Amino acid sequence: MSAPRGLVRWLMAAVVAGHTLLLAAYTFPSGWVPLRLRYWSQAYARVLFHQDWRLFAPDPPECGCALQVRLAPDGPWTDLNSVRADPIWQRMCANACRYAEAGIPAGASRVEVPLALSVSLERMLEALPKSDAPLVRMQRTCGDMQYVVIEPGPRR
């Protein structure tokens, strides 16, 4: 037994109208949409239709960022990303540098980083020759060079 044609058309029109209403409520400014409808529209549209355009064209960083390490107290500074040539290592170094950069107040020359970054840097430094106390700094190039010494965060 099939459903009457009128019921199918009415159901399709209701689905299309509901879809359009939820997408409009998701797109319109929050002041135009009742709060409850806004929540429903976000629950519907974000999961299925939201696009993050940074996936296709990321915003380039304003400044250059590199992590450097010094294994001996008076030794030379070496770029951490040049220690190994594989792309995963280079990506880890870039992400660690951006993470460190986000937490540095303006004008700081020494900063204590969060535990997550401390652990990540410790594991990355395991790939280097052993030293007593390697020193890590961030080189930020934004017109002029700025160096910020990175100290591990407290262990909890």
Side-chain angles (χ1 to χ4, degrees):
M1 189 164 149
S2 65
R5 274 187 169 221
L7 180 63
V8 171
R9 286 183 180 168
W10 184 86
L11 213 63
M12 289 303 294
V15 167
V16 168
H19 171 79
T20 304
L21 175 69
L22 286 171
L23 287 182
Y26 178 71
T27 306
F28 288 157
S30 60
W32 293 9
V33 181
L35 190 60
R36 184 167 292 198
L37 181 59
R38 182 110 181 129
Y39 288 142
W40 278 101
S41 69
Q42 288 177 351
Y44 174 72
R46 250 197 204 138
V47 175
L48 300 174
F49 303 107
H50 185 76
Q51 295 181 4
D52 184 5
W53 292 106
R54 290 178 294 165
L55 173 70
F56 302 108
D59 293 335
E62 294 177 15
C63 302
C65 182
L67 290 176
Q68 297 178 334
V69 65
R70 184 168 67 184
L71 299 175
D74 55 349
W77 288 97
T78 306
D79 279 348
L80 194 57
N81 67 350
S82 67
V83 171
R84 288 177 39 191
D86 60 282
I88 293 174
W89 177 267
Q90 308 226 334
R91 181 70 177 201
M92 285 171 34
C93 291
N95 286 343
C97 193
R98 294 293 172 207
Y99 185 67
E101 184 180 37
I104 294 176
S109 61
R110 186 174 286 279
V111 69
E112 186 177 284
V113 294
L115 181 62
L117 183 56
S118 294
V119 171
S120 178
L121 288 173
E122 283 177 18
R123 298 232 169 98
M124 290 173 76
L125 294 176
E126 289 174 358
L128 301 175
K130 299 294 180 209
S131 73
D132 292 334
L135 194 59
V136 179
R137 73 178 181 183
M138 184 187 73
Q139 175 188 350
R140 190 167 185 241
T141 310
C142 197
D144 58 339
M145 294 270 202
Q146 176 189 10
Y147 295 100
V148 179
V149 175
I150 296 175
E151 296 177 351
R155 289 287 181 158
R156 294 185 182 126

